[in-house]
Each structure stands twice: as structure tokens, then as C-alpha cells.
Amino acid sequence: MPEPIFLSRPLRSIALLAALAVPALAATPAAAEDAIALPYELDYRDFGAEAPRGDAAPRFVQDSGDIDENILLPAARAEDDDPERTYARDYFAIAAGVITTPSYNGSDERNVLPGFYFRGRVKGYSFSTRGTNFQIDLIRQQRGQRVDFKLGPIINLRGDRTGRIKDAQVEALGDRKLAVELGLSAGVTYSGIITSDYDQVGLRVVGLKDVSGKHGSWVLSPTIDYGTPISKRAFLGVSASFNAYGKGFGRYYFDVDPLGSAASGLPVYAEAGRKATIGKYTIGMAGAYALSGDLRKGFVLIGGAQYGRMTSRFGDSPIVDIAGSRDQWLAGGGVAYQF
């Protein structure tokens, strides 16, 4: 799951927004597959510093633009013009804002929470927060490359139903424990595809396994995204994904046993944990607008929204079908600073 706000990858455009929920890890359902980030997230090309093809001036969709939130380009530095530079430019970005999110995965009640993110790249190695996770890309990004492969470890804290549950029936089922998940994130991004030298199409897969013994299962989240700078100061991104879950995940979060049924009044339900299933689809968009006039540096306004749909055995669970809703919305905005 935030995916708050950036320009390196189209996929990140959605994951970025969800990243704003980080401060309330243990109280929100935000997770790797639920984050909202902008397509221009961690894999920024050398935007404006050099032409990726020949000596032509950089192309944009138009000369001026407006919204773009999860998209932040690396700050311009003196060494960026060094012809001997091998790797993509170094940068760091921090952001803070607010996000509105369901009180649990499948809820029809909402919480408004503060959030932040931090990401960067040093000597070609990228790292980032997204939702309640932290990940590192171990494949160094070369300067000016059009095809960028990603692979690295990820750690995620899953706080779904650990608190702030507004529905009395679901609350009566009892809180869940904070789960710690480890896994890998892998993907590839292609730049200069449709609208400009700097637009990006990305494919990414995140796989997570619970190592804390809470739900004792796994989550697999493939994502596709597209992002493009409208101008040197604005960026837009869209993404789509689905989440597949193991049996233990469905059993822990979506089944209702006889004791829970007696306490909550919800019917007994055992289908979510019967077998692995695709439990949620998501689509989202995000944007960023540089107050400094350059997405690579200074202050940037960021924002985005994501729609999710609980499906299959998860959507049929009483905590969703009776106490909650299959329709899931995330939205947020804030201010980022990149240097």
C-alpha cells in the first residue's frame, strides 16, 4: 500500500502520498502496498542539466505547468556539470503534511493524520520511505541512463487495526499487533517514452514476509505507473496496482472466529484465510509544483489521491461488507524541501 510524492518513477507518484502517514505507523493501515507516491520518486533523471539525447534542449509537455506533489527532482549542484561524473546526481528530500485514510483496511470511517517522508540518492544508490516502510536500491543509477533497474531490501511496519478503530463492532474484535515485514522491491523504469525526454513508465513488484509472527504470511504488490514533468516546475503521475495476500494475512485481519462474533455481533467468517487471494486493487494520481521554479531544489507543494477496492474474500468479510466499505480512499498533501 502510499504511495505521497515524487518524480523519479511513475509508480512512486502514488506511493508517495501514502508515505505521509509514516508518523502514525502503529495506528494506521498504511503499508508498502498502500502508499501513494509520485512517479518522480527516487529515480530522477538529470532533468535540465543535460540533454538525454544529443544536444537538443529538454522537451516538456508545455512551457508552464501547475500541480505536482510526489515529484521532486534532485537539487542542482556545481558538480552536476562535471563531464567526469559517472552516476546520477546526489539529492536529499524531506516532506511533511497531512493525510486522510480509512481507520483500518476496509473501513468506511476516516482518520486525519500527520505524515512525513525522507528520501535521497548518494553516489547512485537510492533510498526512501514509503508509507510505513524503508527501502534501499542496491543497483546504482548511471548518469543519463534511459533504462533503470531497481532491486533492494525493504522493511515495513504494518499497523492495520492496532488502534484508532472507529467502528464499535470491529473494535470489539480486539486490536491486532504491529507486524514487522521484510522483503524485496524490484522494478524497471523507462524514460523518454511519450511526452518528453523525462517522462517515465515504471514497473515494480514488492514482496513482503512477516518476520514478527503476527499474521505469519506474505504480501505481493505489482505496480505500474507513469509520470511526466509538465514543465521545469510541475509534475504529474498516475499509477495502478493490485495486492495479493497469503492465507495467514486473510485469517489474521479479515476472518471472524466464534469468540469475535459473540463479542462484536458480526457473523462468523472463515473464507479470507482459506487460500491466497488478490484482495485489493488501487489506482492513484499525484502531483508536485515547485515554489522555487525548479523541481530539483527548494520548496515543493505536493499532493495526491488514491482509490482502492477491496475484492474477493476480503471484500466479503463482515468487517468490510457489513461494518466497513469495499471502497477505500486516501488523499493528502504537504510541503517538501529538496537539496
Side-chain angles (χ1 to χ4, degrees):
M1 340 27 324
E3 68 153 247
I5 314 161
F6 319 99
L7 161 70
S8 337
R9 300 219 163 202
L11 300 181
R12 321 250 168 120
S13 71
I14 293 186
L16 189 312
L17 263 197
L20 292 181
V22 174
L25 314 176
T28 72
E33 76 277 6
D34 294 318
I36 312 172
L38 289 186
Y40 113 82
E41 190 179 22
L42 295 177
D43 313 329
Y44 312 83
R45 308 238 2 220
D46 287 332
F47 178 75
E50 58 191 56
R53 286 172 268 176
D55 297 323
R59 297 184 293 111
F60 298 101
V61 177
Q62 58 190 50
D63 291 335
S64 63
D66 40 16
I67 59 176
D68 186 49
E69 180 184 19
N70 282 337
I71 307 165
L72 305 175
L73 292 173
R77 301 170 184 268
E79 60 267 28
D80 291 340
D81 296 324
D82 182 358
E84 301 300 321
R85 182 165 58 88
T86 301
Y87 300 107
R89 71 175 75 243
D90 293 349
Y91 79 95
F92 298 95
I94 55 176
V98 294
I99 183 170
T100 174
T101 178
S103 67
Y104 64 86
N105 209 7
S107 174
D108 60 355
E109 302 282 352
R110 310 196 63 77
N111 289 325
V112 177
L113 303 167
F116 71 91
Y117 78 78
F118 177 62
R119 64 186 57 214
R121 183 172 55 222
V122 178
K123 296 188 181 302
Y125 293 109
S126 298
F127 61 89
S128 69
T129 59
R130 172 181 295 155
T132 54
N133 72 59
F134 177 75
Q135 56 186 293
I136 300 173
D137 178 21
L138 298 179
I139 300 179
R140 303 177 83 173
Q141 184 178 357
Q142 302 292 321
R143 178 186 187 184
Q145 65 186 43
R146 294 188 60 198
V147 180
D148 181 30
F149 291 94
K150 296 289 181 182
L151 179 65
I154 179 172
I155 181 171
N156 182 65
L157 302 179
R158 186 175 298 276
D160 199 10
R161 289 177 58 190
T162 56
R164 295 177 179 260
I165 299 173
K166 293 186 175 181
D167 186 276
Q169 289 181 296
V170 177
E171 186 177 21
L173 294 174
D175 289 345
R176 296 297 181 257
K177 301 294 185 181
L178 181 70
V180 179
E181 300 166 337
L182 294 179
L184 287 174
S185 177
V188 59
T189 294
Y190 299 87
S191 300
I193 302 297
I194 302 173
T195 61
S196 74
D197 292 332
Y198 305 103
D199 69 341
Q200 297 177 336
V201 172
L203 299 172
R204 172 171 49 89
V205 177
V206 173
L208 292 166
K209 177 70 172 65
D210 175 27
V211 296
S212 60
K214 301 306 184 288
H215 62 77
S217 192
W218 53 267
V219 181
L220 187 68
S221 305
T223 304
I224 181 170
D225 55 37
Y226 173 78
T228 183
I230 297 174
S231 70
K232 198 172 183 179
R233 67 171 61 200
F235 183 93
L236 286 174
V238 295
S239 69
S241 67
F242 69 83
N243 305 324
Y245 303 92
K247 293 188 294 184
F249 189 98
R251 184 181 308 116
Y252 191 67
Y253 291 109
F254 291 93
D255 280 351
V256 179
D257 61 20
L259 288 178
S261 176
S264 67
L266 295 172
V268 173
Y269 186 76
E271 293 299 304
R274 188 164 62 84
K275 65 178 182 179
T277 187
I278 295 176
K280 187 177 183 181
Y281 298 90
T282 62
I283 57 173
M285 66 180 299
Y289 183 81
L291 298 178
S292 67
D294 188 338
L295 284 167
R296 297 172 299 172
K297 58 186 178 181
F299 288 98
V300 178
L301 298 177
I302 56 177
Q306 175 179 285
Y307 169 74
R309 176 78 175 176
M310 308 299 297
T311 62
S312 186
R313 297 171 182 82
F314 285 20
D316 291 337
S317 168
I319 76 165
V320 178
D321 191 46
I322 297 175
S325 173
R326 293 173 181 260
D327 298 318
Q328 301 288 284
W329 288 92
L330 294 175
V335 178
Y337 183 76
Q338 186 156 286
F339 56 96

